[in-house]
Amino acid sequence: MKRILFLSGLDFKEKSIQVIRKTPEAYAEADWEVDYIVARDNLENGNYFYEDEINIKGVNILRIYWPFPKLRTKLPKHTKLLIGKLSSFITIVKLAYAAQKLLRKNEYDVVYGYELHGVLAMHILKIFFSKNIKTVSRFQGTFLHEMFSKKQYLRLLFNLDLILAIRLNSDLLIMTNDGTQGDKAVRKIKGAKPFNMSFWANGVDLFQHINNPICIKDNKKVFLSVSRLVDWKKVERCLYLLDALKKLGFDNFKYYVVGDGNQKHKLQLLALELDLEDNIEFIGAVNQNQVLAYMAGTDFFLSMYDSSNVGNPLLEAIRTNTIIITLANGDTPSWIQHKYNGYIYDPDHIDFDFIAKDLLKLINDKPLQLQLLRNLKDTENKKLWTWSERMTNEINHVTSL
């Protein structure tokens, strides 16, 4: 039996990104012995305040914790960023320290660094483990290409640790194709150095028709967004769009906001300000199976992030055959083409009145909706793979090392 040691500064999630959990699950199901050291960040209003701790069947989990959660909550913004960086560094050292104890007791075929903290901890460990253990560096995507393209030197300086994690050699580097063009960032950072990279999108399981979708239509058009309610997800843009639609005289709609985060209260106040409170329902964070139940009753999926919109919610909207309204940033145009399989707009010139007029025409044009859905189904068949396909492909690559 092969044995793998995972190191990660990101804990498992039930109500958002599934790949963190699905990765060790897949190795365990493929009869690998899986040890997983994970550092959980219990920062108030962080990414885990609405997530319970999860233990995975067949995976030996050692959970440690990020330092200073209360202190980082109370500090002013700039000081909080600096203390956050210090906490990040301490977390890397804690991961490496915990892992070297396991390396002294067990023999591993692979050490797998998951994201920045896991990758840097893995490289610290190279001092301790033998060269015949293979190493995997895994990233969920990165905004580094955007920073390089826009010459955002201060952001790049603040992300030197991530640049270092990508620059360091491993036997396999897996970069998620989430639309942020992380493959281009890797090539720029690696330069002339030889490297072995796989660039894969996440999987989306096949959608089974749900007879009782959660969204209650009452002959209303249903809009949906699914994301953490944080600044760069720009959920307020969805509110401004629906405000523009309502001003055109169409108010027979319901907008479900699925997700939670530190922007929730601000968005609720904006809904009141725009007189949309009767049209909007803030659902909060829900489990993955409930997300699909919401999508089953949805007419239009809205995604207007600052950076790439090719997150798992957009891929799930493709899988559930839901018409998508989005922005053409990152690699989003490689998935959605305007008036072919969705509506997609220039992120640098967002005109909510113009988009609302397009949307109103679409609402009143059933044949066009059906054509978009046929083309979206074609996109699904050609470009999406299931989680089983995605993880089987990865395990085969890692085994071949």
Side-chain angles (χ1 to χ4, degrees):
M1 178 182 287
K2 296 188 185 305
R3 189 163 195 166
I4 185 169
L5 173 62
F6 284 88
L7 308 175
S8 175
L10 299 175
D11 206 350
F12 311 119
K13 293 188 173 186
E14 186 64 43
K15 299 179 175 67
S16 57
I17 184 167
Q18 298 296 293
V19 66
I20 306 173
R21 174 178 180 168
K22 287 184 178 293
T23 302
E25 276 183 333
Y27 281 86
E29 289 168 2
D31 293 325
W32 287 58
E33 180 74 18
V34 181
D35 293 335
Y36 204 110
I37 305 175
V38 58
R40 181 182 179 87
D41 189 359
N42 284 326
L43 180 69
E44 185 179 337
N45 289 331
N47 293 335
Y48 289 91
F49 74 90
Y50 51 81
E51 295 276 3
D52 295 327
E53 291 189 2
I54 298 169
N55 293 314
I56 300 171
K57 183 179 179 181
V59 177
N60 307 311
I61 297 172
L62 171 61
R63 185 172 278 108
I64 59 179
Y65 297 88
W66 281 56
F68 318 131
K70 292 183 179 179
L71 177 63
R72 285 185 288 133
T73 300
K74 296 176 181 177
L75 290 172
K77 182 178 179 181
H78 295 297
T79 308
K80 187 184 296 185
L81 288 173
L82 292 174
I83 297 298
K85 275 297 178 185
L86 175 61
S87 300
S88 176
F89 175 74
I90 293 172
T91 299
I92 292 166
V93 174
K94 288 176 72 174
L95 284 170
Y97 179 74
Q100 59 88 22
K101 291 183 177 180
L102 290 182
L103 283 163
R104 289 175 177 172
K105 294 192 298 183
N106 305 311
E107 292 186 3
Y108 292 96
D109 299 284
V110 177
V111 175
Y112 191 121
Y114 198 104
E115 266 295 340
L116 160 68
H117 307 91
V119 172
L120 290 180
M122 177 182 73
H123 283 285
I124 292 174
L125 286 172
K126 283 190 173 182
I127 301 167
F128 301 98
F129 62 74
S130 60
K131 293 182 179 179
N132 63 342
I133 300 178
K134 299 301 179 181
T135 55
V136 177
S137 300
R138 168 66 177 280
F139 300 93
Q140 295 183 156
T142 174
F143 296 126
L144 285 173
H145 176 68
E146 176 183 280
M147 298 178 207
F148 285 125
S149 299
K150 295 181 179 180
K151 299 181 179 180
Q152 296 173 334
Y153 299 120
L154 189 59
R155 284 183 74 193
L156 287 168
L157 180 65
F158 201 74
N159 283 278
L160 281 177
D161 47 0
L162 176 56
I163 293 171
L164 175 63
I166 293 174
R167 175 73 179 177
L168 292 169
N169 286 331
S170 57
D171 295 293
L172 174 64
L173 187 153
I174 302 172
M175 175 62 72
T176 301
N177 180 5
D178 68 340
T180 56
Q181 301 174 315
D183 58 328
K184 295 180 180 179
V186 171
R187 292 187 181 98
K188 184 173 184 65
I189 292 166
K190 293 286 193 181
K193 292 176 61 176
F195 62 95
N196 178 21
M197 178 175 67
S198 292
F199 187 56
W200 299 317
N202 283 331
V204 184
D205 287 331
L206 295 174
F207 174 67
Q208 303 297 322
H209 179 70
I210 297 174
N211 292 323
N212 297 304
I214 293 176
C215 299
I216 306 301
K217 289 195 172 186
D218 293 329
N219 295 317
K220 294 182 178 182
K221 290 297 178 184
V222 175
F223 295 87
L224 175 73
S225 64
V226 180
S227 72
R228 286 181 292 119
L229 303 185
V230 294
D231 181 64
W232 72 273
K233 301 287 187 176
K234 296 299 178 189
V235 176
E236 67 270 19
R237 289 173 177 162
C238 303
L239 272 67
Y240 290 132
L241 171 58
L242 295 178
D243 175 55
L245 180 64
K246 195 169 182 177
K247 287 176 179 175
L248 291 175
F250 185 86
D251 66 352
N252 189 33
F253 66 85
K254 193 76 173 181
Y255 171 38
Y256 292 91
V257 182
V258 174
D260 210 331
N262 59 22
Q263 296 289 301
K264 183 175 181 178
H265 182 63
K266 179 180 177 181
L267 292 166
Q268 289 172 324
L269 291 177
L270 179 60
L272 287 170
E273 181 184 328
L274 297 175
D275 194 25
L276 290 171
E277 65 270 25
D278 292 336
N279 301 94
I280 295 178
E281 187 171 341
F282 288 87
I283 304 300
V286 301
N287 292 341
Q288 190 63 22
N289 59 343
Q290 289 181 283
V291 171
L292 294 178
Y294 276 102
M295 286 191 173
T298 296
D299 297 296
F300 302 100
F301 177 77
L302 305 178
S303 183
M304 295 194 166
Y305 301 172
D306 252 350
S307 297
S308 168
N309 284 274
V310 191
N312 256 60
L314 185 133
L315 301 184
E316 289 161 353
I318 293 174
R319 181 72 87 192
T320 56
N321 217 217
T322 305
I323 294 174
I324 295 165
I325 315 295
T326 190
L327 300 178
N329 40 28
D331 272 341
T332 312
S334 69
W335 289 87
I336 304 300
Q337 293 82 51
H338 193 55
K339 295 187 178 180
Y340 171 74
N341 62 352
Y343 277 34
I344 185 167
Y345 297 91
D346 183 352
D348 296 322
H349 302 90
I350 303 173
D351 185 334
F352 295 111
D353 293 330
F354 179 82
I355 300 172
K357 289 174 183 176
D358 269 359
L359 187 52
L360 184 57
K361 290 177 184 177
L362 177 60
I363 289 170
N364 294 321
D365 192 340
K366 189 65 175 179
L368 178 56
Q369 292 179 42
L370 293 174
Q371 184 60 50
L372 291 173
L373 292 173
R374 283 192 291 269
N375 293 335
L376 195 62
K377 188 67 176 178
D378 187 56
T379 302
E380 176 197 358
N381 293 334
K382 290 179 178 178
K383 299 196 68 170
L384 286 185
W385 51 9
T386 65
W387 275 117
S388 177
E389 292 168 337
R390 161 67 182 81
M391 293 312 307
T392 297
N393 194 43
E394 173 179 326
I395 292 169
N396 287 342
H397 272 71
V398 173
T399 302
S400 73
L401 296 177

